[in-house]
Every structure is written in structure tokens, then in C-alpha cells.
Amino acid sequence: MGVTYKYFGAPDGATAARVPISMRPEELGGDELGMNGMFTKIKPETMAAMVLTGIEGIPLHKVPPLELVVLHPDYAVVKLPMTVVDPLRGIGEETVGAAAFIWSTVPDRGGPRDAFNVYQLLHEWQDFSHRLHEAGHQPYCLVWP
């Protein structure tokens, strides 16, 4: 069994904190708070580091920490900095492809990832970034075992 991450948008931390209370994590379908969320096994810290380091060129030690919104024995909600999703809105195919290639060469516990899979993931994040921007929402992540 692994940890599952559910990324979603909310207008503020108080609203984001109510998401797990109003819906059981296994029932989250993606339309809570009017946002199409994303389920993934990619940790928010990894996503932040990949975008900020791979696309923005920020050194890894300067990647800002995530903000803890709720810590509960059964789940947690964290807020991602807008600097993690905003850069994705303005980049083109070349940058997405280059970032996917770079990220695919970084070994993780499961070994290197296929660049095309990373490329598809980045496009999902680009779409997510556009939806957040259009709704005026901040990015949050619901984490549960």
C-alpha cells in the first residue's frame, strides 16, 4: 500500500481544511470545490522541486517548503507555493519536453521514469495550473495512507 496524493484547488486554507472533513478520501472524485483535482503517487515536495529546479532553474536548496494546513491522524492537507504551478502556464512544448527528459534521468526509489510518462504528467499539471488560475484558487494536496 502506498501514500496517495490528491491535488486540488481552493480559494483559501480554511476551505482546503474542510475538504477531508466533508468527503472521505476514498470518495474524492475530482470535482470537490468545483475543481478537477488530480490523484497521483507523486509527492508534493517532488513536484515542487521538479518544477522549480527543472523549469525555473532554482537550486534545490532554495525550493520553498510546503505549508501544513491540517495534520490529522488519518490525513494531512498541505499548501503548495504558487511558484510551483504558475511557471507551468507560460511554458511551451520544448520546455515541457526538456523538463520531462531531465526529470526522467533522476533516479527515485522506483528507478528512473520514462520521459514520455513525465511529459504526460507535466501536461496534466499544466492543465491543473490553468484551472487554478481561472478559478483564482491556490494549490493544495490531500495526503492519506
Side-chain angles (χ1 to χ4, degrees):
M1 188 163 158
V3 175
T4 302
Y5 303 97
K6 168 66 175 178
Y7 293 92
F8 65 96
D12 53 50
T15 305
R18 288 193 300 270
V19 168
I21 296 165
S22 64
M23 298 174 198
R24 295 167 43 118
E26 60 271 14
E27 295 171 353
L28 287 176
D31 289 328
E32 67 282 359
L33 304 174
M35 292 298 297
N36 290 325
M38 296 188 312
F39 285 98
T40 182
K41 295 287 185 182
I42 308 282
K43 290 197 274 188
E45 304 90 306
T46 302
M47 201 63 218
M50 195 283 304
V51 169
L52 294 175
T53 303
I55 294 174
E56 291 290 285
I58 295 172
L60 198 54
H61 69 278
K62 294 209 179 210
V63 172
L66 304 176
E67 180 184 324
L68 184 64
V69 177
V70 174
L71 181 60
H72 184 274
D74 297 327
Y75 60 85
V77 175
V78 295
K79 179 181 178 188
L80 285 79
M82 286 305 289
T83 53
V84 173
V85 291
D86 282 347
L88 292 167
R89 286 199 326 273
I91 61 173
E93 287 298 310
E94 251 181 59
T95 305
V96 172
F101 175 75
I102 291 166
W103 198 19
S104 73
T105 64
V106 177
D108 59 21
R109 285 185 289 170
R113 296 181 177 270
D114 179 80
F116 184 70
N117 291 342
V118 176
Y119 175 82
Q120 288 179 308
L121 173 72
L122 283 173
H123 270 292
E124 288 177 31
W125 271 85
Q126 262 191 319
D127 292 343
F128 183 57
S129 177
H130 284 289
R131 291 192 308 267
L132 285 173
H133 182 71
E134 289 164 10
H137 286 180
Q138 303 284 313
Y140 292 90
C141 184
L142 173 59
V143 181
W144 73 94

